[in-house]
């Protein structure tokens, strides 16, 4: 994520802090181009949110064993507006409770079982876009005009490449996750893209099974 930020010529990293409960508060050193920066690491989400009140995105890399508790805690803080859950195998009952809480609190949720999302030239959530060589080849370091939604993270990386070869590039892309109950649906993101003047073309990469694709088609037909 930090390498992507630097390639996009951000003045400072998009990541402000990390949470790791198994050691005391400390700093971790990362490369920022040819320089080095120190990233603060906290033992609790509460302390991280308190010391970084401007943070609005919480990306949860915890395993399926603890992702429910940590995600519920993150959504209890009003400053958190977007939640990304990377873990696969989250129990369906827990996922449904997470979705219900996110809807009640107005939190946008990506995942579970997602690689995240990307807004070229601006921000990357999780591992979307793949390695740096694919980011360069797909020109994800600057915005294009195509906004897409996918379930599969691997296929979304291939989609970045296909879009780049056949248009001026990706404007924004989200992989909603491959589990049975994703935190957001195709239609949610398409409605958001429709209100964004920078998104000139909307693209859906669906999969066999499910009804979300049909719901989107019905929405287009109804206007």
């Amino acid at each position: 994520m930090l390498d992507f930020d630097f390639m996009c010529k951000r003045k400072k990293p998009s990541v402000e802090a990390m949470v790791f409960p198994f050691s005391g508060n400390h700093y971790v050193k990362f490369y920022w181009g040819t320089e080095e920066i120190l990233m603060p690491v906290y033992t609790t989400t509460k302390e991280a949110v308190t010391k970084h009140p401007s943070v609005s995105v919480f990306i949860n890399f915890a395993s399926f064993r603890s992702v429910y508790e940590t995600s519920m805690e993150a959504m209890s803080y009003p400053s958190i507006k977007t939640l990304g859950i990377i873990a696969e195998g989250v129990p369906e009952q827990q996922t449904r409770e997470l979705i219900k809480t996110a809807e009640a609190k107005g939190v946008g949720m990506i995942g579970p079982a997602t690689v995240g999302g990307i807004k070229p030239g601006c921000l990357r959530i999780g591992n979307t876009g793949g390695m740096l060589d694919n980011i360069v080849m797909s020109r994800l370091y600057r915005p294009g005009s195509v906004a897409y939604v996918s379930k599969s993270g691997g296929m979304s990386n291939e989609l970045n490449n296909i879009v780049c070869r056949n248009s001026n590039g990706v404007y924004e892309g989200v992989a909603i996750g491959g589990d049975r109950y994703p935190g957001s649906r195709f239609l949610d993101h398409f409605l958001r893209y429709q209100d964004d003047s920078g998104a000139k073309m909307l693209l859906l990469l669906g999969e066999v099974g499910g009804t979300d694709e049909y719901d989107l088609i019905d929405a287009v037909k109804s206007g």
Side-chain angles (χ1 to χ4, degrees), residues 138-180:
S138 302
R139 298 200 291 269
L140 296 175
Y141 49 82
R142 55 70 170 155
S145 301
V146 181
Y148 72 81
V149 187
S150 168
K151 273 193 174 182
S152 168
M155 288 303 297
S156 68
N157 289 342
E158 182 62 26
L159 191 60
N160 290 327
N161 200 330
I162 295 173
V163 170
C164 172
R165 292 172 182 267
N166 295 277
S167 70
N168 67 345
V170 175
Y171 177 74
E172 185 176 334
V174 176
I176 63 173
D179 282 359
R180 183 178 181 183

Side-chain angles (χ1 to χ4, degrees), residues 1 8 10-11 37 39 41 43 76 80 82 88 100 121 140-141 144 146 149 174-175 178 186 188 190 210 212 223:
M1 292 174 65
C8 294
R10 291 181 65 109
K11 298 299 183 182
I37 60 173
M39 182 74 62
V41 181
T43 56
S76 68
I80 301 300
T82 302
E88 297 180 356
K100 182 177 180 180
L140 296 175
Y141 49 82
V146 181
V149 187
V174 176
F186 294 137
D188 298 330
F190 266 70
D212 285 354

